[in-house]
Amino acid sequence: MIQVKNLVGGQFFSTEEVFDDISPINNTVIASVPRTKSVQSAVSAAEIAFEEWSKLSIEERCDWLDKIADGLEARIEEIAKLEALDTGKPIDVALNVDSKRSVNNFRFFAGFGRDLKNETFEMDDATNYVVRKPVGIVGLISPWNLPLYLLTWKIAPALLMGNVVIAKPSELTPLTAHLLGKICVEIGLPNGVLNIVNGYGPEIGQKIVEHPKIKAISFTGGTATGKQVAATAAPLFKKLSLELGGKNASIVLDDADLEIAVPGVLRASFLNSGQICLCGSRILVHSSLYESFLSRYLEELERFEIGPVISNQHREKILSYIELAKSEGGSIIFGGNVIEKAGAWIEPTVITDLSHKSRTATEEIFGPVVTIHSFDSDEEAIEMANSTEYGLAGSVWSRERGRTVAERIESGMVWVNTWLHRDLRVPFGGIKDSGVGREGGMWSIGFFSEAVNICVMED
Ligand code: NAD
């Protein structure tokens, strides 16, 4: 049994009340987790740490980010094992997606920080220059699907810009954040620069969002929670970044190369058991390719390895959507059932014969469930893709017209003939109900700093 602890001011501690962390692989209890209800001690520790941390040069902070990356890299296998245990994902996904990206988040922002250019704007008679000041204490709240990957995506740029952090991992997946805390203590990161508090969202998460001394909130999670976070933070005039849910379309045009489209769309459907906000859970296929696409897709799906979903409770939600699909007239042509073994296992599920406006095809399920629809023209595909309240991501598969169609999809990110191909400099985020703001490269720098303009009149 792992004892997860909070990290506050460089000290590890638990709370009187703890709760169990359960592995979805076989329902065993793997850790006890503090049920923290107050954020005050973390705020006090962060306030003290801010004095020194914010005065370091950006180069010094880049060196710290590299040291954290080194510390994570040295434990890369351990991170993968913990992440696989906590989330149920296959170990190679945990290693190649989660662990590597967690290291790379620190590495990338260290390099990005060293390359930051002065921002100056000359006038005929004056010079403007921008000073990027830290925002202060920032609250970083993350979900369970890519636990360390998403938390470090926020921590690295926040620290780079001189902020001090109060981070809250998901209560379902606290193990790797705990390891990150241990690594930061081992490498001697100054006390209070990174504080990690564990507990339930409506308790400690809400306290973080409410605390007046926490000046920015970067939140990744569900749209309903995001609404609550926004309602709490907005009257306090906090900086707010919201990375929320999605219901992304994978669009296979009539000139698609099925050699790449089939494995690409399949990976977008079921990687991480479909529990990635960017997953393509609505597959739109041109009618001329529909039959050939479907038979190859189902054939390849037989060989696709997936783990369980995050919890029994989440599996119940997914099963309720499969029932809904049936009541909406859908045909379950693959899967649809629980896998009878201990843990939150469920078959990957493919549903056809539904309207693209049905609830199943427009609401986020966040599991290994896809709906497939056919269309007859690019116009129709675009209309179908845009017919949800979400606007996070999407992919277009086409030899010739990928860009033209991609630009008309109402989403923050669209891939053409690929999926989840990530350059960390580019803007990442959603429109419509998928969120507010962007992360990545300069967008993260902008969020985690206050840009102050100094205008100097020339003699
Ligand atoms: P969730 O909204 O239930 O929880 C996310 C985090 O918020 C958790 O740490 C939780 O404890 C905390 N939280 C809950 N209530 C809170 C409150 N009132 N105040 C502050 N914090 C609170 O989401 P989840 O189930 O953990 O994750 C799945 C969701 O995340 C899906 O909707 C998915 O699409 C979304 N997601 C989005 C992105 C993105 O980049 N847009 C990435 C990954 C996941």
Side-chain angles (χ1 to χ4, degrees), residues 164-207:
V164 288
V165 166
I166 298 178
K168 192 202 100 55
S170 166
E171 54 270 45
L172 296 174
T173 54
L175 298 186
T176 46
H178 181 52
L179 178 61
L180 171 69
K182 287 205 258 185
I183 289 169
C184 288
V185 169
E186 277 166 25
I187 64 169
L189 186 73
N191 293 343
V193 166
L194 172 64
N195 304 280
I196 301 173
V197 289
N198 290 278
Y200 294 125
E203 294 180 352
I204 189 63
Q206 181 70 22
K207 287 280 164 53

Short mmCIF file of all heavy atoms in Angstrom, two decimals, residues 164-207:
data_model
loop_
_atom_site.label_atom_id
_atom_site.label_comp_id
_atom_site.label_asym_id
_atom_site.label_seq_id
_atom_site.Cartn_x
_atom_site.Cartn_y
_atom_site.Cartn_z
N VAL A 164 4.51 30.48 -8.02
CA VAL A 164 4.59 29.32 -7.13
C VAL A 164 3.25 28.59 -7.23
O VAL A 164 2.23 29.20 -7.53
CB VAL A 164 4.91 29.73 -5.68
CG1 VAL A 164 6.37 30.16 -5.58
CG2 VAL A 164 3.99 30.83 -5.20
N VAL A 165 3.31 27.29 -7.01
CA VAL A 165 2.21 26.44 -7.45
C VAL A 165 1.53 25.71 -6.29
O VAL A 165 2.19 25.22 -5.39
CB VAL A 165 2.76 25.39 -8.46
CG1 VAL A 165 1.77 24.27 -8.70
CG2 VAL A 165 3.15 26.07 -9.77
N ILE A 166 0.19 25.66 -6.38
CA ILE A 166 -0.56 24.70 -5.57
C ILE A 166 -1.27 23.79 -6.58
O ILE A 166 -2.12 24.24 -7.35
CB ILE A 166 -1.57 25.40 -4.65
CG1 ILE A 166 -0.80 26.30 -3.68
CG2 ILE A 166 -2.42 24.36 -3.90
CD1 ILE A 166 -1.64 27.10 -2.73
N ALA A 167 -0.82 22.53 -6.60
CA ALA A 167 -1.34 21.60 -7.60
C ALA A 167 -2.27 20.60 -6.93
O ALA A 167 -2.00 20.13 -5.83
CB ALA A 167 -0.18 20.87 -8.28
N LYS A 168 -3.36 20.28 -7.64
CA LYS A 168 -4.27 19.25 -7.13
C LYS A 168 -4.50 18.20 -8.21
O LYS A 168 -5.20 18.43 -9.18
CB LYS A 168 -5.62 19.84 -6.73
CG LYS A 168 -6.43 18.82 -5.94
CD LYS A 168 -7.92 19.07 -5.95
CE LYS A 168 -8.68 18.23 -6.92
NZ LYS A 168 -8.52 16.78 -6.83
N PRO A 169 -3.90 17.00 -8.01
CA PRO A 169 -4.19 15.93 -8.98
C PRO A 169 -5.60 15.40 -8.76
O PRO A 169 -6.21 15.66 -7.72
CB PRO A 169 -3.14 14.86 -8.63
CG PRO A 169 -2.75 15.13 -7.22
CD PRO A 169 -3.01 16.60 -6.94
N SER A 170 -6.07 14.63 -9.71
CA SER A 170 -7.38 13.98 -9.54
C SER A 170 -7.33 13.03 -8.35
O SER A 170 -6.33 12.33 -8.14
CB SER A 170 -7.75 13.20 -10.79
OG SER A 170 -8.83 12.34 -10.51
N GLU A 171 -8.41 12.98 -7.61
CA GLU A 171 -8.49 12.06 -6.45
C GLU A 171 -8.42 10.60 -6.89
O GLU A 171 -8.11 9.72 -6.10
CB GLU A 171 -9.78 12.30 -5.66
CG GLU A 171 -11.08 12.25 -6.45
CD GLU A 171 -11.48 13.61 -7.02
OE1 GLU A 171 -10.61 14.31 -7.58
OE2 GLU A 171 -12.68 13.95 -6.91
N LEU A 172 -8.69 10.36 -8.18
CA LEU A 172 -8.66 8.97 -8.68
C LEU A 172 -7.25 8.52 -9.04
O LEU A 172 -7.00 7.32 -9.13
CB LEU A 172 -9.58 8.84 -9.91
CG LEU A 172 -11.07 9.08 -9.64
CD1 LEU A 172 -11.85 9.08 -10.94
CD2 LEU A 172 -11.62 8.04 -8.69
N THR A 173 -6.34 9.47 -9.27
CA THR A 173 -5.00 9.12 -9.76
C THR A 173 -3.91 9.99 -9.13
O THR A 173 -3.28 10.80 -9.82
CB THR A 173 -4.95 9.28 -11.30
OG1 THR A 173 -5.39 10.62 -11.61
CG2 THR A 173 -5.79 8.26 -12.01
N PRO A 174 -3.68 9.83 -7.83
CA PRO A 174 -2.73 10.73 -7.17
C PRO A 174 -1.28 10.24 -7.15
O PRO A 174 -0.40 10.95 -6.68
CB PRO A 174 -3.27 10.75 -5.73
CG PRO A 174 -3.85 9.38 -5.55
CD PRO A 174 -4.37 8.94 -6.90
N LEU A 175 -1.00 9.03 -7.67
CA LEU A 175 0.31 8.40 -7.40
C LEU A 175 1.49 9.14 -8.02
O LEU A 175 2.53 9.32 -7.39
CB LEU A 175 0.31 6.94 -7.88
CG LEU A 175 -0.70 5.99 -7.22
CD1 LEU A 175 -0.47 4.56 -7.70
CD2 LEU A 175 -0.63 6.06 -5.70
N THR A 176 1.37 9.53 -9.28
CA THR A 176 2.54 10.12 -9.94
C THR A 176 2.81 11.55 -9.49
O THR A 176 3.97 11.98 -9.48
CB THR A 176 2.41 10.05 -11.47
OG1 THR A 176 1.11 10.49 -11.84
CG2 THR A 176 2.65 8.64 -11.98
N ALA A 177 1.77 12.27 -9.10
CA ALA A 177 2.02 13.62 -8.55
C ALA A 177 2.80 13.49 -7.25
O ALA A 177 3.69 14.31 -6.95
CB ALA A 177 0.69 14.35 -8.33
N HIS A 178 2.48 12.46 -6.48
CA HIS A 178 3.20 12.21 -5.24
C HIS A 178 4.68 11.93 -5.53
O HIS A 178 5.57 12.46 -4.85
CB HIS A 178 2.54 11.02 -4.53
CG HIS A 178 3.15 10.66 -3.22
ND1 HIS A 178 3.36 11.57 -2.22
CD2 HIS A 178 3.60 9.47 -2.74
CE1 HIS A 178 3.91 10.97 -1.18
NE2 HIS A 178 4.08 9.70 -1.47
N LEU A 179 4.92 11.13 -6.56
CA LEU A 179 6.32 10.85 -6.94
C LEU A 179 7.02 12.13 -7.41
O LEU A 179 8.18 12.38 -7.05
CB LEU A 179 6.36 9.78 -8.04
CG LEU A 179 7.75 9.42 -8.55
CD1 LEU A 179 8.63 8.86 -7.45
CD2 LEU A 179 7.67 8.42 -9.71
N LEU A 180 6.31 12.94 -8.18
CA LEU A 180 6.91 14.22 -8.61
C LEU A 180 7.30 15.05 -7.40
O LEU A 180 8.40 15.64 -7.37
CB LEU A 180 5.91 15.00 -9.48
CG LEU A 180 6.31 16.43 -9.82
CD1 LEU A 180 7.50 16.46 -10.78
CD2 LEU A 180 5.14 17.21 -10.43
N GLY A 181 6.45 15.09 -6.39
CA GLY A 181 6.76 15.83 -5.16
C GLY A 181 8.04 15.31 -4.53
O GLY A 181 8.91 16.08 -4.13
N LYS A 182 8.15 13.98 -4.47
CA LYS A 182 9.35 13.39 -3.85
C LYS A 182 10.60 13.77 -4.65
O LYS A 182 11.64 14.10 -4.07
CB LYS A 182 9.21 11.86 -3.80
CG LYS A 182 8.21 11.39 -2.76
CD LYS A 182 8.52 9.98 -2.31
CE LYS A 182 7.59 9.01 -2.98
NZ LYS A 182 7.66 7.63 -2.60
N ILE A 183 10.48 13.73 -5.96
CA ILE A 183 11.63 14.08 -6.80
C ILE A 183 12.03 15.54 -6.58
O ILE A 183 13.21 15.87 -6.46
CB ILE A 183 11.30 13.80 -8.29
CG1 ILE A 183 11.23 12.29 -8.53
CG2 ILE A 183 12.32 14.46 -9.23
CD1 ILE A 183 10.65 11.87 -9.87
N CYS A 184 11.04 16.41 -6.48
CA CYS A 184 11.36 17.84 -6.29
C CYS A 184 12.06 18.07 -4.95
O CYS A 184 12.96 18.91 -4.85
CB CYS A 184 10.09 18.69 -6.42
SG CYS A 184 9.54 18.77 -8.12
N VAL A 185 11.66 17.33 -3.92
CA VAL A 185 12.34 17.45 -2.63
C VAL A 185 13.76 16.90 -2.75
O VAL A 185 14.72 17.52 -2.28
CB VAL A 185 11.53 16.73 -1.53
CG1 VAL A 185 12.33 16.61 -0.23
CG2 VAL A 185 10.22 17.48 -1.27
N GLU A 186 13.90 15.76 -3.42
CA GLU A 186 15.23 15.14 -3.57
C GLU A 186 16.22 16.07 -4.28
O GLU A 186 17.39 16.13 -3.92
CB GLU A 186 15.13 13.85 -4.40
CG GLU A 186 14.72 12.63 -3.57
CD GLU A 186 14.29 11.46 -4.46
OE1 GLU A 186 14.71 11.38 -5.64
OE2 GLU A 186 13.51 10.66 -3.96
N ILE A 187 15.74 16.77 -5.29
CA ILE A 187 16.68 17.63 -6.04
C ILE A 187 16.85 18.99 -5.38
O ILE A 187 17.62 19.82 -5.86
CB ILE A 187 16.24 17.83 -7.52
CG1 ILE A 187 14.90 18.57 -7.59
CG2 ILE A 187 16.17 16.49 -8.26
CD1 ILE A 187 14.54 19.02 -9.00
N GLY A 188 16.13 19.22 -4.29
CA GLY A 188 16.33 20.46 -3.54
C GLY A 188 15.59 21.66 -4.08
O GLY A 188 15.99 22.81 -3.82
N LEU A 189 14.51 21.43 -4.81
CA LEU A 189 13.68 22.57 -5.25
C LEU A 189 13.28 23.35 -4.00
O LEU A 189 12.85 22.74 -3.01
CB LEU A 189 12.43 22.06 -5.99
CG LEU A 189 11.55 23.14 -6.62
CD1 LEU A 189 12.21 23.73 -7.87
CD2 LEU A 189 10.17 22.58 -6.99
N PRO A 190 13.44 24.67 -4.00
CA PRO A 190 13.15 25.41 -2.76
C PRO A 190 11.74 25.10 -2.20
O PRO A 190 10.79 24.96 -2.95
CB PRO A 190 13.25 26.87 -3.20
CG PRO A 190 14.17 26.84 -4.37
CD PRO A 190 13.93 25.54 -5.07
N ASN A 191 11.69 24.99 -0.88
CA ASN A 191 10.43 24.64 -0.20
C ASN A 191 9.32 25.61 -0.59
O ASN A 191 9.53 26.83 -0.64
CB ASN A 191 10.60 24.73 1.32
CG ASN A 191 11.55 23.65 1.83
OD1 ASN A 191 11.83 22.69 1.13
ND2 ASN A 191 12.04 23.84 3.05
N GLY A 192 8.15 25.06 -0.82
CA GLY A 192 6.97 25.90 -1.05
C GLY A 192 6.79 26.36 -2.48
O GLY A 192 5.76 26.97 -2.81
N VAL A 193 7.77 26.09 -3.34
CA VAL A 193 7.63 26.49 -4.75
C VAL A 193 6.58 25.62 -5.44
O VAL A 193 5.74 26.09 -6.20
CB VAL A 193 8.99 26.40 -5.48
CG1 VAL A 193 8.83 26.49 -6.98
CG2 VAL A 193 9.91 27.52 -4.97
N LEU A 194 6.63 24.31 -5.14
CA LEU A 194 5.60 23.40 -5.64
C LEU A 194 4.93 22.73 -4.44
O LEU A 194 5.57 22.00 -3.68
CB LEU A 194 6.22 22.32 -6.54
CG LEU A 194 5.26 21.19 -6.94
CD1 LEU A 194 4.12 21.71 -7.81
CD2 LEU A 194 6.01 20.08 -7.68
N ASN A 195 3.66 23.01 -4.28
CA ASN A 195 2.88 22.37 -3.21
C ASN A 195 1.83 21.48 -3.87
O ASN A 195 1.24 21.86 -4.89
CB ASN A 195 2.18 23.43 -2.36
CG ASN A 195 3.19 24.41 -1.79
OD1 ASN A 195 3.85 24.14 -0.80
ND2 ASN A 195 3.34 25.56 -2.46
N ILE A 196 1.64 20.30 -3.31
CA ILE A 196 0.67 19.36 -3.90
C ILE A 196 -0.32 18.97 -2.82
O ILE A 196 0.07 18.48 -1.76
CB ILE A 196 1.39 18.11 -4.46
CG1 ILE A 196 2.42 18.52 -5.52
CG2 ILE A 196 0.37 17.14 -5.06
CD1 ILE A 196 3.31 17.39 -6.01
N VAL A 197 -1.59 19.24 -3.09
CA VAL A 197 -2.62 18.87 -2.10
C VAL A 197 -3.59 17.89 -2.75
O VAL A 197 -3.95 18.03 -3.92
CB VAL A 197 -3.38 20.11 -1.58
CG1 VAL A 197 -2.48 20.94 -0.67
CG2 VAL A 197 -3.92 20.97 -2.70
N ASN A 198 -3.97 16.89 -1.96
CA ASN A 198 -4.85 15.85 -2.47
C ASN A 198 -6.22 15.94 -1.82
O ASN A 198 -6.35 16.42 -0.69
CB ASN A 198 -4.26 14.47 -2.14
CG ASN A 198 -3.01 14.20 -2.95
OD1 ASN A 198 -3.11 13.78 -4.11
ND2 ASN A 198 -1.85 14.45 -2.38
N GLY A 199 -7.20 15.41 -2.53
CA GLY A 199 -8.54 15.38 -1.96
C GLY A 199 -9.59 15.45 -3.04
O GLY A 199 -9.28 15.38 -4.23
N TYR A 200 -10.83 15.58 -2.59
CA TYR A 200 -11.96 15.59 -3.53
C TYR A 200 -12.12 16.99 -4.15
O TYR A 200 -11.91 18.01 -3.50
CB TYR A 200 -13.25 15.21 -2.81
CG TYR A 200 -13.25 13.78 -2.31
CD1 TYR A 200 -13.49 13.48 -0.97
CD2 TYR A 200 -13.01 12.72 -3.18
CE1 TYR A 200 -13.50 12.17 -0.51
CE2 TYR A 200 -13.03 11.40 -2.74
CZ TYR A 200 -13.27 11.13 -1.40
OH TYR A 200 -13.27 9.85 -0.97
N GLY A 201 -12.57 16.98 -5.41
CA GLY A 201 -12.75 18.24 -6.14
C GLY A 201 -13.65 19.24 -5.43
O GLY A 201 -13.25 20.39 -5.22
N PRO A 202 -14.87 18.82 -5.04
CA PRO A 202 -15.77 19.80 -4.42
C PRO A 202 -15.26 20.30 -3.07
O PRO A 202 -15.76 21.31 -2.56
CB PRO A 202 -17.08 19.02 -4.25
CG PRO A 202 -16.99 17.89 -5.24
CD PRO A 202 -15.53 17.55 -5.33
N GLU A 203 -14.28 19.60 -2.48
CA GLU A 203 -13.74 20.05 -1.20
C GLU A 203 -12.47 20.89 -1.45
O GLU A 203 -12.53 22.10 -1.53
CB GLU A 203 -13.46 18.83 -0.31
CG GLU A 203 -14.77 18.14 0.07
CD GLU A 203 -14.62 16.91 0.96
OE1 GLU A 203 -13.49 16.44 1.21
OE2 GLU A 203 -15.66 16.41 1.42
N ILE A 204 -11.34 20.21 -1.65
CA ILE A 204 -10.09 20.98 -1.75
C ILE A 204 -9.98 21.71 -3.11
O ILE A 204 -9.43 22.81 -3.18
CB ILE A 204 -8.86 20.07 -1.46
CG1 ILE A 204 -7.59 20.91 -1.36
CG2 ILE A 204 -8.71 18.99 -2.49
CD1 ILE A 204 -7.60 21.89 -0.22
N GLY A 205 -10.53 21.10 -4.16
CA GLY A 205 -10.49 21.79 -5.46
C GLY A 205 -11.21 23.12 -5.39
O GLY A 205 -10.71 24.17 -5.79
N GLN A 206 -12.40 23.06 -4.82
CA GLN A 206 -13.22 24.27 -4.67
C GLN A 206 -12.49 25.31 -3.80
O GLN A 206 -12.50 26.51 -4.10
CB GLN A 206 -14.56 23.86 -4.05
CG GLN A 206 -15.55 24.98 -3.85
CD GLN A 206 -16.14 25.51 -5.16
OE1 GLN A 206 -16.15 24.84 -6.17
NE2 GLN A 206 -16.60 26.76 -5.10
N LYS A 207 -11.82 24.84 -2.74
CA LYS A 207 -11.09 25.77 -1.85
C LYS A 207 -9.97 26.48 -2.61
O LYS A 207 -9.71 27.67 -2.39
CB LYS A 207 -10.48 25.00 -0.66
CG LYS A 207 -11.51 24.56 0.38
CD LYS A 207 -11.86 25.72 1.29
CE LYS A 207 -13.12 25.50 2.10
NZ LYS A 207 -13.15 24.26 2.85
#
